[in-house]
Amino acid sequence: MRRKVRLGLAAIAVGALLASALLATGGSAAPTPDRPTKQEIAQRLLQRRAQFMTPPARAYLSMIANGNRSFSQEPEGSAAKAGQPQARAAAAENLPAAAFANVRVNDPGADRRIDQTTQSETTIAVHGNNVAVGYNDSQRTLLFLTAASSLSGYGFSTDGGRSFTDGGALPNAPGQVNVGDPWLASDRAGRFYYATLAFDQFINLGVSVARSDNGGRTWRAPVELIDSANYGFYQGDKEAMTAGRDPTVASRDNLYVAWDDFFCDPTFVDCFTGLPVARSTDHGASWQLVYADQAPLFGPGCSFQQYIGAQPFVDSRNGTLYVAAERIEVNDPDCVGAPEVRSEVIFKSTDGGQSFGPRVTIATATPAARGADGITDVLFLDPGRAIRTIEFPVIARVGGTLYVAWNDGAQGPSHIRLARSTDGGATWSLSWATSGAANELQPALSGDAEGLHLLYYRVGGNNRINVLLQDRSGATTRVRRVNTRSFPGVFNAPQFDPIIAFFYMGDYIANVSSRGHRYFAWGDNRDIVRNQLWPQGRNDPDVFFARD
């Protein structure tokens, strides 16, 4: 199915309240037995699929389903149930020495609202000495979202990452509010692009992309990738973006953004879930939308399928586009409580994202931990501190070999699983990149002439967190520590930050290879904040950067 959108260039906010001007859900067709309202669609999605959504998406649906102004993502009782450590590694630690200088990206001095001090979930764009780092930022909003709220923050560097300037928040397009889940990319000409989730004036949650022509110092207003007015209901989630050569016009870079969605037409007769991929051939000025896969929003009985964590990747040798994602399926036509089946899958396009071949299953995936709330996959650390987990795939290429990695709980603890393909994604072989008693999660991959580079969080003895880099070249594997100071989780069960989701410590970290260097960015809780609510101090989530 191909859907064209003509547009001109133009999350984390889960404890906030949405301004009343954005809450009307008028325009929905009157309910009939086969034509539900927007509110009923949201209620059904929450009943069946809440555990497979990120907090911005869950918060959005809760707002619509409840018919009120609460923009809250938490299921009832979460705070009461989230208390005990769930997975603890052995106390003994044998970590390599820190191998990199660490540079702070955000400016804590700009955090002027008490306890709205979360910066995490990182992404990087690089061109020459210009480096931009995007991240979720809870500072630029009140406890109500307004037209000036923006939860998509960034910092920039003009000296290759040796120092950073906090750029504040990405500007909103008129009628939109940026709500995080950032993803950055750069093209060969040095243009930078910033993808984000955004609410729009039709009370839909879509994906928008902004452009910077000065190395990430300033940004144009984002362009929405869907024509929201054509939908009665639309919810996008967890977008990712890449830039790469066109398969026919080798000198041209195309932009690709992939995400997962739920949507209904304006009559609420046709409702679907899918894996959309938006393509721009004119540097983000206009976008064409296709679906790598699509299915009815609600299957027979209690059956359904959906995608999450889509990741596009372009083979720079020939312009072939790959889109990896996690697929979640429940085959339960009689509503007997059949379990979900999770798998890592990949789609391939050889015509620049205009069409896709059939889905290829890489492997089944196993959640690392299920939280006490019964909804969120979460790894509990010390009391009141946790990290939610999900099996988002990441993808890279070294020579003629494709690699996909994700965190997986099949061996008990969360470890990094690595898949490789030498035939263009048609078949895959599997191995474990990590093992042992510790938990590893949130992998980020890059590849270059020096080999494969795997970055990840490691939760080890005493539940301290470190960022490790595993370099693979031929039969040689080297592990180095990226952060100079280990750190604990933050108080997020319940959450110290009124804008942020329970259990949140970001869903991904960043790892980019460019011109012989590797660039890393991650959420880091090493610093202590003291205020009238925390006179003894609490760990504060900030963004740090390192370069190899």
Side-chain angles (χ1 to χ4, degrees), residues 149-359:
S149 298
S150 178
L151 303 167
S152 303
Y154 72 98
F156 63 88
S157 171
T158 59
D159 57 10
R162 292 175 179 84
S163 63
F164 278 86
T165 299
D166 189 327
L170 190 71
N172 292 319
Q176 296 184 28
V177 175
N178 302 324
V179 293
D181 277 8
W183 204 278
L184 271 61
S186 61
D187 62 23
R188 285 175 287 180
R191 304 177 191 90
F192 284 13
Y193 305 90
Y194 193 130
T196 180
L197 294 179
F199 281 111
D200 65 25
Q201 60 189 330
F202 300 102
I203 320 303
N204 288 321
L205 180 62
V207 177
S208 297
V209 174
R211 191 176 101 191
S212 171
D213 295 323
N214 58 9
R217 291 187 285 277
T218 60
W219 300 84
R220 301 186 186 191
V223 176
E224 193 172 24
L225 304 191
I226 63 153
D227 190 349
S228 186
N230 290 335
Y231 297 86
F233 172 88
Y234 192 90
Q235 178 198 302
D237 196 13
K238 225 58 190 175
E239 85 293 347
M241 175 172 55
T242 193
R245 60 154 286 188
D246 182 86
T248 303
V249 184
S251 61
R252 186 183 76 204
D253 281 345
N254 297 337
L255 288 174
Y256 302 100
V257 183
W259 66 98
D260 58 278
D261 69 1
F262 308 129
F263 65 92
C264 296
D265 69 6
T267 68
F268 286 83
V269 171
D270 294 322
C271 296
F272 295 93
T273 178
L275 184 63
V277 182
R279 165 181 178 260
S280 176
T281 60
D282 54 10
H283 320 306
S286 62
W287 296 84
Q288 298 80 44
L289 185 67
V290 304
Y291 278 83
D293 194 19
Q294 194 177 93
L297 185 56
F298 300 106
C302 296
S303 300
F304 71 85
Q305 77 160 38
Q306 74 169 79
Y307 293 94
I308 193 167
Q311 177 118 157
F313 174 81
V314 176
D315 188 332
S316 60
R317 301 172 301 170
N318 52 28
T320 298
L321 171 66
Y322 298 91
V323 177
E326 182 173 13
R327 182 173 183 258
I328 303 168
E329 181 183 24
V330 173
N331 184 12
D332 192 11
D334 298 320
C335 295
V336 296
E340 79 265 13
V341 176
R342 304 191 188 192
S343 57
E344 307 296 337
V345 301
I346 195 165
F347 295 85
K348 180 178 179 178
S349 172
T350 58
D351 58 6
Q354 298 178 75
S355 63
F356 286 86
R359 179 180 68 241

Side-chain angles (χ1 to χ4, degrees), residues 63-221:
M63 180 190 74
I64 301 300
N66 295 334
N68 60 31
R69 303 199 318 159
S70 176
F71 188 47
S72 173
Q73 87 298 341
E74 304 308 336
E76 184 177 356
S78 290
K81 295 179 181 178
Q84 298 301 317
Q86 180 173 314
R88 182 181 295 274
E93 290 285 276
N94 184 21
L95 294 175
F100 305 93
N102 291 183
V103 181
R104 188 195 305 277
V105 176
N106 64 291
D107 178 10
D111 292 342
R112 303 189 183 279
R113 293 188 177 87
I114 188 168
D115 282 353
Q116 288 180 221
T117 63
T118 298
Q119 289 88 24
S120 57
E121 198 162 275
T122 53
T123 176
I124 297 174
V126 179
H127 188 268
N129 283 327
N130 291 323
V131 182
V133 177
Y135 43 86
N136 289 331
D137 190 344
S138 69
Q139 182 63 202
R140 179 71 178 272
T141 188
L142 305 175
L143 295 181
F144 288 77
L145 289 181
T146 71
S149 298
S150 178
L151 303 167
S152 303
Y154 72 98
F156 63 88
S157 171
T158 59
D159 57 10
R162 292 175 179 84
S163 63
F164 278 86
T165 299
D166 189 327
L170 190 71
N172 292 319
Q176 296 184 28
V177 175
N178 302 324
V179 293
D181 277 8
W183 204 278
L184 271 61
S186 61
D187 62 23
R188 285 175 287 180
R191 304 177 191 90
F192 284 13
Y193 305 90
Y194 193 130
T196 180
L197 294 179
F199 281 111
D200 65 25
Q201 60 189 330
F202 300 102
I203 320 303
N204 288 321
L205 180 62
V207 177
S208 297
V209 174
R211 191 176 101 191
S212 171
D213 295 323
N214 58 9
R217 291 187 285 277
T218 60
W219 300 84
R220 301 186 186 191

